[in-house]
Amino acid sequence: ICVRRIACGCAGCMARLRLPLPQRYEPHDTCERFRIFGRMNDWKLVELVLTEEGDEAREEIEQLGLQERTDEIASLIGEGEAIAIAAPGDKRGFYIADTTGTVRQLDAPLTVHALKDEDGQPLQLAAGSSVIDARFRNPVERVRGCSKWYTDFLPDDPEGDVVVPTHLILRAGFV
C-alpha cells in the first residue's frame, strides 16, 4: 500500500494522481508544500502487518467510539422511556425495559444478577460506571403472531427491577 504523512489536494499532487500507476507515486517537487516538507511527504510503499499491539489499539479506538455513542444516547434518556438493552446470553439478543430514573454514576461496585456477560456470569460493574434504573418488560411467548409483544412485570415483583449500564443500551425513546 502507498501512504504519505499528510494528505494533500494541491494542483501538483492531484496532477500526479492522474498519471499511470508506475509514475504516480514517484518523488515529485510540484507539491505546494514541498518547500516545507521536502521529501518527508513523498509516497512510501509499506506493508501493513497486524500485530497484537495493533489489535489492542483498534479495540481501544472501537471502545472510544462505542462509549461516545452510548454517552450520547444516555444523555437523551429521561425517566419513563423505553430502552432496548444488549443481552448476549438471551436468544433474542436484547431486552426491553422502561427507565425509572435518569442516568447516574455508581458510588460503589455492583453485581447485576439480572444481566449476564458474554460468559453467562452476572454483570460486574465498577464504581463510577454510568447506569440507569429500569423495569424489565416480559416478552410474550408462544402466542402466534405476537412475537414482539411485551407485558409489564407485576408492580410488587422485584425481578422486574434492573440497574442497566449505559454501555448496554442499544436504543431509547421508542414505543
Side-chain angles (χ1 to χ4, degrees), residues 17-130:
L17 290 175
R18 287 190 278 283
L19 292 174
L21 197 58
Q23 299 164 326
R24 185 178 303 169
Y25 302 114
E26 291 177 352
H28 66 97
D29 301 341
T30 57
C31 176
E32 291 176 7
R33 294 172 180 82
F34 180 74
R35 286 190 343 260
I36 300 168
F37 298 113
R39 294 281 169 233
M40 289 179 57
N41 204 36
D42 283 348
W43 288 96
K44 307 286 188 232
L45 182 61
V46 298
E47 182 180 344
L48 301 178
V49 179
L50 189 59
T51 65
E52 197 171 299
E53 291 173 350
D55 280 345
E56 290 173 9
R58 189 185 78 244
E59 287 177 18
E60 185 176 327
I61 290 167
E62 288 172 358
Q63 281 298 101
L64 289 172
L66 179 60
Q67 190 61 51
E68 287 175 8
R69 179 178 175 270
T70 56
D71 287 348
E72 175 66 22
I73 291 171
S75 71
L76 302 173
I77 297 173
E79 188 172 341
E81 290 196 45
I83 56 174
I85 307 161
D90 187 77
K91 64 184 176 187
R92 287 175 301 280
F94 66 93
Y95 300 121
I96 302 293
D98 295 299
T99 59
T100 58
T102 57
V103 176
R104 62 184 173 88
Q105 307 298 312
L106 286 178
D107 295 329
L110 178 69
T111 300
V112 182
H113 294 280
L115 299 175
K116 307 295 185 213
D117 63 18
E118 292 81 17
D119 299 323
Q121 299 300 311
L123 196 60
Q124 303 293 324
L125 301 177
S129 296
S130 292

Side-chain angles (χ1 to χ4, degrees), residues 70 84-88 115-116 118 123 164-171:
T70 56
I85 307 161
L115 299 175
K116 307 295 185 213
E118 292 81 17
L123 196 60
V164 179
T166 58
H167 73 271
L168 290 182
I169 297 174
L170 301 171
R171 188 164 181 204

